[in-house]
Amino acid sequence: MREMGEIWLALEIGNSRLHWALFIGETLYSAWDTDHIAESVIQQLAKCQTLDHLLLAISPPHQKIREENTSSSPSSSSSPSSPSSPSSPSSPPPLLVASVVPSQTAIWQTYPNIRVITLDQVSLKGVYPTLGIDRALALWGAGKMWGFPMLVIDAGTALTFTAADANQCLVGGAILPGLGLQFATLGQQTEQLPLVEMQNFPSLPPRFALNTTGAIQSGVIYTILAGIKDFIEAWLQLFPNRKIAIKGGDRTLLLNYLQALYPEITVRLIVEPNLIFWGMREIVMGDE
Ligand SMILES: Nc1ncnc2c1ncn2[C@@H]1O[C@H](COP(=O)(O)OP(=O)(O)OP(=O)(O)O)[C@@H](O)[C@H]1O
Ligand SMILES: CC(C)(CO)[C@@H](O)C(=O)NCCC(=O)O
Ligand SMILES: [K+]
């Protein structure tokens, strides 16, 4: 970034929704999620006169899904709270975009001050050309924050494992359908199976179920948890001093279950929803 205290926005375009962060220089001021935004709204953003207008346009209060204020002085302004101290810019702030949805990236190109992060800008070594930028950035962010070797588990639309060794070189990883996707496919692609809603089971379901919904819950949850445990154990055997971080929309649910089933591995997990933003910050600050 050009100035130390400059306001900039980070946007991660995921397959389910958008993930936003407002930075002042190196400091993450707040982070929130929204649904994908219509092209017509994006085209209006260049005309926003103040930061508050812009924030309101990209995340109207009823649309905002999660907000986390990381600044020490919470602001009273509307959602998401904009920083009160630095003066609002007269033109829209720089926007850093990382996207795994190319059609969505395309409609953001009308934004006046946009920079799209691509894989070649992440200093992670040994990447393959089609590696998702979200996986690369989350791994880079986690490794820079807590050190390498690092394994990142992303419990998002897809559940992914992505690892790098002590030389900051990609070891590799794995991709499987995330929790929501597993329930959705069973409900949609079969004649007799219902769509199971995830919010309805905060605690572990019985392993051996005597009804259809229970059987789906058991099958999806216990095999995902066993899979996560197996990947973690394989990772722990690979390197000394290795770390593990977990992010993604299903992280809290999965952590609660993991804690109940495998407390000894759960304590090793670094839980951090903002890994991709730490990765983006590394790239922005590296340019100075
Ligand atoms: N309000 C919500 N809206 C959508 N998904 C949610 C919400 N709260 C929790 N989730 C869970 O989050 C998961 C999606 O995770 P996330 O939002 O991290 O995915 P994503 O948008 O694909 O992002 P990424 O590409 O970074 O994984 C879904 O499986 C869903 O169960
Ligand atoms: C796996 C997802 C969908 C996770 O968001 C994304 O990282 C992606 O589209 N990756 C491309 C394929 C790969 O990472 O090998
Ligand atoms: K596809």
Side-chain angles (χ1 to χ4, degrees):
M1 284 286 126
R2 289 161 294 269
E3 291 167 45
M4 276 312 285
E6 186 176 20
I7 291 178
W8 56 283
L9 281 168
L11 167 61
E12 187 224 339
I13 305 180
N15 277 296
S16 298
R17 45 194 179 146
L18 304 180
H19 310 276
W20 293 93
L22 179 67
F23 277 88
I24 306 171
E26 291 189 41
T27 307
L28 188 144
Y29 183 84
S30 85
W32 68 99
D33 301 325
T34 68
D35 288 331
H36 286 132
I37 294 174
E39 189 167 3
S40 56
V41 173
I42 297 169
Q43 285 165 354
Q44 299 301 312
L45 296 179
K47 297 177 195 146
C48 287
Q49 292 296 312
T50 68
L51 181 63
D52 281 324
H53 279 142
L54 182 88
L55 294 177
L56 210 57
I58 56 179
S59 28
H62 64 278
Q63 259 213 16
K64 209 178 42 168
I65 301 167
R66 162 188 78 101
E67 186 182 2
E68 173 199 342
N69 256 306
T70 50
S71 71
S72 48
S73 55
S75 148
S76 59
S77 67
S78 58
S79 79
S81 353
S82 69
S84 43
S85 38
S87 57
S88 290
S90 51
S91 61
L95 174 67
L96 217 71
V97 175
S99 172
V100 293
V101 189
S103 59
Q104 282 289 314
T105 323
I107 66 175
W108 277 94
Q109 298 295 343
T110 55
Y111 189 93
N113 202 348
I114 188 174
R115 172 174 169 191
V116 178
I117 304 278
T118 48
L119 203 52
D120 54 295
Q121 297 169 39
V122 187
S123 305
L124 186 67
K125 291 173 219 152
V127 299
Y128 56 92
T130 61
L131 178 72
I133 188 70
D134 57 341
R135 299 177 64 196
L137 280 173
L139 180 57
W140 191 245
K144 283 289 164 180
M145 197 82 131
W146 290 282
F148 293 92
M150 173 62 78
L151 167 70
V152 170
I153 304 172
D154 187 349
T157 309
L159 179 61
T160 63
F161 301 90
T162 316
D165 64 17
N167 296 320
Q168 311 186 354
C169 183
L170 182 72
V171 173
I175 304 171
L176 65 145
L179 265 186
L181 215 45
Q182 297 206 20
F183 290 119
T185 5
L186 281 178
Q188 286 159 12
Q189 310 288 328
T190 60
E191 200 63 31
Q192 298 205 81
L193 299 186
L195 183 64
V196 172
E197 300 285 347
M198 275 205 299
Q199 304 87 301
N200 301 345
F201 44 103
S203 55
L204 273 173
R207 168 87 65 167
F208 294 96
L210 285 167
N211 62 74
T212 304
T213 298
I216 294 172
Q217 290 177 349
S218 170
V220 169
I221 289 171
Y222 285 103
T223 56
I224 280 200
L225 295 175
I228 291 176
K229 173 179 174 271
D230 192 62
F231 268 90
I232 290 176
E233 285 174 352
W235 172 246
L236 292 177
Q237 284 174 16
L238 216 49
F239 299 109
N241 268 328
R242 57 274 177 257
K243 302 197 168 58
I244 308 162
I246 183 166
K247 68 176 286 288
D250 290 322
R251 72 184 181 284
T252 310
L253 194 73
L254 286 178
L255 272 168
N256 288 339
Y257 294 153
L258 279 171
Q259 175 62 38
L261 275 186
Y262 314 115
E264 66 292 344
I265 61 165
T266 311
V267 295
R268 291 175 166 270
L269 301 182
I270 299 165
V271 184
E272 177 51 66
N274 296 318
L275 290 181
I276 288 180
F277 299 134
W278 303 144
M280 291 169 108
R281 181 178 67 179
E282 281 297 322
I283 288 175
V284 163
M285 295 304 155
D287 291 348
E288 268 177 290

